[in-house]
Amino acid sequence: MIELQHTTKTHDESRQGEALDMLPTGKSTGRKLYIESYGCQMNFSDSEIVASILLDNGFETTKDYKEADVVFINTCSIRENAEQRVRNRLKEFESAKAKNPGLVVGVLGCMAERLKSKFLEEEKLVDVVVGPDAYRDLPNLIDKVDDGNKAVNVLLSREETYADISPVRLNSNGISAFISIMRGCDNMCSFCVVPFTRGRERSRDCHSIVKEAQDLFNSGYREVTLLGQNVDSYKYTKPVAEGETEGQMVNFAQLLAMVAEVSPELRVRFSTSHPKDITDEVLYTMSRYENICKYIHLPVQSGSSRVLELMNRTYDREWYMDRVNAIRRIIPTCGISTDVITGFCTETEEEHQETLSMMDYVKYDFAYMFAYSERPGTLAAKRYEDDVLEEVKKRRLTEVVNKQQEHSLYRLQSFVGNVQKVLIEGFSKRSDHDYCGRNDQNTMVVFPVDKRFKPGEYVHVLAERCTSATLIGKIVD
Ligand code: SAH
Ligand code: SF4
Ligand code: F3S
């Protein structure tokens, strides 16, 4: 399948399979953990929670699975090829297990939740299967495996948010970090496996979120991205205070403001916004705070109202356009990105054209584009036939990808000649003579190193030209 993926940081393909490296925080057992992660940014964040739990239990981490005592793979089920990638990777661990029969191999995350104990039958080398809400149980499950058993915990929870666990920031640039503000999803988009693998939606205590942002700021971080499958439905009720009859409710707009107040020097981003839930209050909050980045990931999925209804997205084409109009009205400089699925069940050629015309209407800055992949157990798999031929799905995907390339270039070119405020993230991937960082709209900007400025500082960069995904320029005073 062709999957064109722009690398913003919420779906960074270049990080798929990345491993982590840290020393124990608890009493050392001398045992080494290797963990690699697939899927969305929430999964990467979860791996930092898992590492934190095991470091507290005396483990250290390693970047080389061949020297590990415990190998964990944090998995994704979103499309069939995501699962295939994990199965291929498990095959590569077989030789390590053959050399070291005491090696513990664990499958974590969404695939673990979807397949449960079936995993143990299907993949003989797997010893432990752990769903996304059961990570606190990991030390206990590893003990069980050490005693010669296989271990499974795939219980989903209505409360678990890991609010009290401070994630270890591994493989971090020390400048941008992700903060999970909620878990699970209560929507039932008919194509999507997430509600089944991640369970019910729950919001994390707002104070623990603000504290995490403050702690990050104090240790030098300058950008946080608040993460949830549907951040606009964030809702946390504070415990009842003295003299009050009920606890005060905090919504997403209010949470955004609380995090933005940590410091004007801390950039705040968030993902993902659901078109049905994003409110004008959120947009006005964004416009009120200079440090809330003017960038919204607003997945459309399809431009056809009939397909959107089959997808159970609970908005139609007009509603989506109205939300885009509201963004353009309230935050004229806002960047907008999206997700698109081509070839969903029964999608006609005309309906596909409606997706293309929606893209023309919005001219997205970025898009993640996928051919529909039927997932077992979802509403669509139960109700509708996956009847669009594979080659048609792919041809439509190519058309969507080509259109997006035009629009990305259009957006990039519109920045050329303008001065961008950029947070320096570090040296560019290609050269130590260049710095890289993002502008407000999340576009990568590359410019020559100027010794007066360090990573973590803000600079103004005149964009002089662009490639297909990057602005190139120079620092101006
Ligand atoms: N919570 C986010 C989406 C998370 S999944 C939202 O509601 O927008 C990320 C993206 O993967 C989705 O937006 C969708 O475009 C894509 N996706 C999900 N299930 C899929 C499937 N079965 N086939 C193809 N793409 C899928
Ligand atoms: Fe999946 Fe829809 Fe929930 Fe997003 S909002 S995670 S697409 S069910
Ligand atoms: Fe994320 Fe994949 Fe699970 S996208 S929530 S890791 S199915």
Side-chain angles (χ1 to χ4, degrees):
M1 182 164 71
I2 319 161
E3 285 188 2
L4 187 127
Q5 307 246 343
H6 285 286
T7 52
T8 74
K9 293 178 289 179
T10 42
H11 300 58
D12 192 340
E13 278 285 292
S14 64
R15 291 189 63 198
Q16 301 291 307
E18 192 173 273
L20 310 165
D21 204 357
M22 277 293 267
L23 289 170
T25 46
K27 192 167 173 293
S28 176
T29 59
R31 292 180 90 183
K32 287 189 177 162
L33 163 73
Y34 171 86
I35 178 163
E36 68 180 36
S37 314
Y38 293 82
C40 63
Q41 193 53 55
M42 302 201 72
N43 238 22
F44 282 77
S45 285
D46 280 3
S47 291
E48 298 188 334
I49 286 169
V50 168
S52 172
I53 292 170
L54 290 193
L55 290 173
D56 271 353
N57 280 272
F59 278 80
E60 60 186 270
T61 60
T62 168
K63 282 183 176 164
D64 181 3
Y65 76 86
K66 292 185 181 126
E67 60 169 46
D69 303 290
V70 172
V71 167
F72 282 159
I73 179 159
N74 196 356
T75 61
C76 173
S77 286
I78 202 81
R79 286 168 290 275
E80 197 181 342
N81 62 352
E83 292 201 348
Q84 198 47 51
R85 208 188 284 193
V86 166
R87 289 190 191 278
N88 294 343
R89 188 67 176 138
L90 280 171
K91 292 220 164 46
E92 293 173 36
F93 295 146
E94 272 169 15
S95 62
K97 181 101 168 177
K99 279 193 199 125
N100 172 12
L103 177 69
V104 178
V105 177
V107 175
L108 318 182
C110 291
M111 233 176 133
E113 191 61 50
R114 194 176 84 70
L115 291 161
K116 304 188 169 57
S117 52
K118 264 202 287 183
F119 228 117
L120 298 176
E121 294 147 33
E122 289 176 20
E123 303 281 349
K124 294 286 180 246
L125 93 153
V126 174
D127 304 296
V128 47
V129 177
V130 191
D133 287 345
Y135 297 144
R136 287 180 201 269
D137 198 23
L138 276 168
N140 170 43
L141 296 167
I142 293 172
D143 283 348
K144 276 194 185 157
V145 177
D146 289 341
D147 291 343
N149 305 303
K150 299 258 173 182
V152 180
N153 186 344
V154 287
L155 285 176
L156 287 173
S157 156
R158 281 177 173 250
E159 287 92 35
E160 181 63 272
T161 58
Y162 301 110
D164 56 315
I165 296 181
S166 134
V168 280
R169 306 288 166 182
L170 300 156
N171 282 13
S172 153
N173 61 5
I175 289 155
S176 339
F178 294 88
I179 302 181
S180 286
I181 63 163
M182 52 209 293
R183 299 183 70 81
C185 183
D186 277 356
N187 295 316
M188 272 287 167
C189 302
S190 62
F191 52 79
C192 184
V193 78
V194 172
F196 305 95
T197 62
R198 294 261 160 182
R200 298 304 297 268
E201 179 187 288
R202 62 223 101 118
S203 296
R204 178 177 164 190
D205 179 342
C206 56
H207 300 298
S208 79
I209 295 169
V210 173
K211 181 173 181 305
E212 194 171 327
Q214 182 71 60
D215 290 348
L216 285 163
F217 183 77
N218 295 346
S219 44
Y221 284 80
R222 290 294 174 266
E223 182 179 80
V224 293
T225 304
L226 308 181
L227 292 177
Q229 293 297 352
N230 177 3
V231 289
D232 303 283
S233 67
Y234 176 87
K235 193 162 54 162
Y236 181 75
T237 310
K238 293 184 189 171
V240 185
E242 234 183 73
E244 287 177 1
T245 48
E246 53 187 64
Q248 199 195 337
M249 212 270 286
V250 176
N251 67 16
F252 182 59
Q254 291 159 331
L255 177 75
L256 258 184
M258 286 164 76
V259 177
E261 295 277 348
V262 165
S263 164
E265 292 294 301
L266 181 71
R267 269 188 169 177
V268 184
R269 298 185 184 275
F270 55 90
S271 189
T272 298
S273 300
H274 196 300
K276 83 175 158 70
D277 292 319
I278 188 166
T279 58
D280 287 359
E281 190 191 355
V282 166
L283 304 179
Y284 284 116
T285 306
M286 288 175 74
S287 72
R288 214 168 56 240
Y289 288 90
E290 200 263 336
N291 58 326
I292 303 181
C293 289
K294 308 298 178 267
Y295 170 69
I296 298 177
H297 184 58
L298 194 70
V300 65
Q301 314 298 358
S302 164
S304 147
S305 294
R306 190 192 72 91
V307 174
L308 286 168
E309 187 166 352
L310 288 186
M311 287 177 164
N312 203 23
R313 288 288 287 183
T314 68
Y315 55 84
D316 59 12
R317 183 179 169 91
E318 285 65 40
W319 174 278
Y320 186 91
M321 286 173 151
D322 172 74
R323 293 291 76 207
V324 170
N325 296 343
I327 295 171
R328 301 269 187 243
R329 187 178 70 244
I330 299 168
I331 322 168
T333 59
C334 198
I336 305 179
S337 60
T338 200
D339 295 347
V340 175
I341 298 178
T342 64
F344 186 65
C345 313
T346 73
E347 183 190 68
T348 65
E349 210 50 44
E350 291 70 39
E351 288 162 342
H352 164 61
Q353 289 300 327
E354 286 189 272
T355 298
L356 293 171
S357 73
M358 177 67 93
M359 295 175 76
D360 281 329
Y361 182 77
V362 185
K363 293 198 173 59
Y364 295 104
D365 292 66
F366 303 99
Y368 306 95
M369 297 153 279
F370 313 101
Y372 173 58
S373 160
E374 186 178 84
R375 308 309 296 130
T378 55
L379 289 181
K382 286 185 196 149
R383 284 189 198 158
Y384 314 121
E385 198 186 335
D386 179 12
D387 59 354
V388 178
L389 294 175
E390 214 45 44
E391 64 248 38
V392 175
K393 283 181 189 172
K394 284 191 178 151
R395 194 255 304 146
R396 289 180 188 168
L397 180 60
T398 306
E399 289 174 17
V400 164
V401 166
N402 290 343
K403 182 155 296 281
Q404 184 51 42
Q405 275 170 347
E406 277 170 36
H407 292 158
S408 293
L409 191 63
Y410 167 82
R411 290 289 174 203
L412 277 163
Q413 281 168 343
S414 72
F415 291 126
V416 172
N418 296 338
V419 173
Q420 314 289 315
K421 185 174 175 186
V422 175
L423 171 62
I424 309 176
E425 290 177 20
F427 293 108
S428 95
K429 269 188 195 157
R430 296 232 175 110
S431 156
D432 283 354
H433 300 295
D434 289 329
Y435 277 145
C436 68
R438 279 157 215 276
N439 68 1
D440 229 19
Q441 291 79 2
N442 210 30
T443 300
M444 187 56 89
V445 187
V446 173
F447 47 96
V449 169
D450 176 332
K451 290 257 164 56
R452 290 175 298 162
F453 303 102
K454 292 193 301 293
E457 292 180 350
Y458 293 96
V459 284
H460 287 97
V461 177
L462 171 68
E464 295 172 310
R465 58 194 176 91
C466 64
T467 65
S468 64
T470 311
L471 289 170
I472 299 164
K474 63 169 188 233
I475 296 178
V476 288
D477 287 331

